[in-house]
Amino acid sequence: MSWDVLLLHLPNDVTSVQQISDDYAPAPLGSQHDVLAAITQAIPDTDLSDPTWGELLGPTWSMELNIGTEDPVDSIMLHIRGGGDDVLTPVFRLAGALRCKVLDCAEGDLITPLETSGWHRFQQYRDRMLHSHR
C-alpha cells in the first residue's frame, strides 16, 4: 500500500482537484532530459538507472518515481511507502526543483510544507488496515 502524490503544474490559485476545470491541460514539467537532470540535482541519491521509474530510499521509507516514457514529461507520480515525516523533505525538494505543486491523490488536495495532514492520515489508515488483518 502506498501513499500516492502527483507532481504537476497547476495555476497558483488552485488548492484542490475540485477547482481544476475538466479541460485544464497542465504545462509539462519539462523534457525528459531536463526533468531527470532536475531530479538528480535536487536529490543525488535517486536511482534513475531506469529513467522512467526512479527509486529513492530513506531510513524508514521508500519512494518510487513514476516518470513515464513521454517526452516532455507531463507529471510524476510518487508512490511512497513506510513512515516518518522526513520523507516529505525530498517530496518538496522535487516539487521545488520542478517548480510544480504536490497533489495528494487520496485526499484530492494540494499539500505544502505547512499542510501535510494527508500523509499522517494515510499512515493512520494504513496502520489500522494492517492491524485489522492480523
Side-chain angles (χ1 to χ4, degrees):
M1 176 181 287
S2 66
W3 182 53
D4 298 333
V5 297
L6 187 64
L7 303 179
L8 77 163
H9 286 142
L10 290 173
N12 288 334
D13 60 341
V14 170
T15 59
S16 77
V17 292
Q18 291 80 13
Q19 296 173 311
I20 303 170
S21 66
D22 291 339
D23 61 344
Y24 177 74
L29 297 177
S31 71
Q32 191 171 49
H33 176 267
D34 290 346
V35 166
L36 295 174
I39 292 169
T40 300
Q41 183 163 354
I43 308 172
D45 293 340
T46 306
D47 177 358
L48 293 171
S49 54
D50 177 351
T52 66
W53 196 263
E55 185 175 39
L56 183 60
L57 300 175
T60 59
W61 51 265
S62 67
M63 180 187 311
E64 295 172 317
L65 293 80
N66 185 346
I67 300 162
T69 59
E70 298 296 317
D71 194 2
V73 177
D74 289 330
S75 62
I76 298 174
M77 181 70 76
L78 305 178
H79 305 283
I80 301 168
R81 293 173 180 83
D85 285 353
D86 59 322
V87 73
L88 297 169
T89 300
V91 169
F92 293 117
R93 191 173 292 151
L94 288 169
L98 296 167
R99 297 174 314 280
C100 65
K101 295 190 178 191
V102 183
L103 178 66
D104 178 343
C105 294
E107 300 279 323
D109 292 324
L110 296 178
I111 62 170
T112 67
L114 299 175
E115 178 48 60
T116 59
S117 59
W119 171 234
H120 299 129
R121 281 193 290 276
F122 166 78
Q123 292 176 90
Q124 292 168 349
Y125 171 78
R126 178 203 57 214
D127 294 346
R128 275 195 316 275
M129 292 296 106
L130 290 174
H131 291 305
S132 70
H133 287 76
R134 288 186 179 176

